[in-house]
Amino acid sequence: MNIQLNGRQQELSADIKTIAQLLASLSLEKRIVIVELNKEIINKASYADQPIRNGDKVELIHFVGGG
């Protein structure tokens, strides 16, 4: 499956079917992340149930601490 991730084409493995699985594959599952799917912000409680489909546009915004 191919999606657009943060403006770039990204091929996902066949076992990634939800937002939660995508975040885990990117090691972002324990971070504060805002997910926009096809220009709609997804509620964090829905990540495990929110499917990703071929051609979807996903934007991930995560926060990095530092000084």
Side-chain angles (χ1 to χ4, degrees), residues 6 28 32-36 41 47 59-63:
N6 291 348
L28 293 173
I32 298 172
V33 179
I34 305 296
V35 178
E36 183 182 283
I41 295 177
Y47 289 176
E59 296 287 331
L60 302 179
I61 301 167
H62 63 98
F63 301 95

Side-chain angles (χ1 to χ4, degrees), residues 13-31:
S13 68
D15 58 337
I16 298 174
K17 299 180 190 305
T18 67
I19 294 293
Q21 291 169 337
L22 174 64
L23 294 176
S25 75
L26 298 171
S27 301
L28 293 173
E29 72 273 23
K30 295 183 180 178
R31 297 194 177 200

Side-chain angles (χ1 to χ4, degrees), residues 1-4 9-10 12 38 52-57:
M1 166 172 44
N2 287 309
I3 65 169
Q4 185 174 328
Q9 290 298 312
Q10 176 92 26
L12 301 180
N38 299 322
I52 301 173
R53 296 184 176 89
N54 193 45
D56 279 347
K57 294 180 181 178

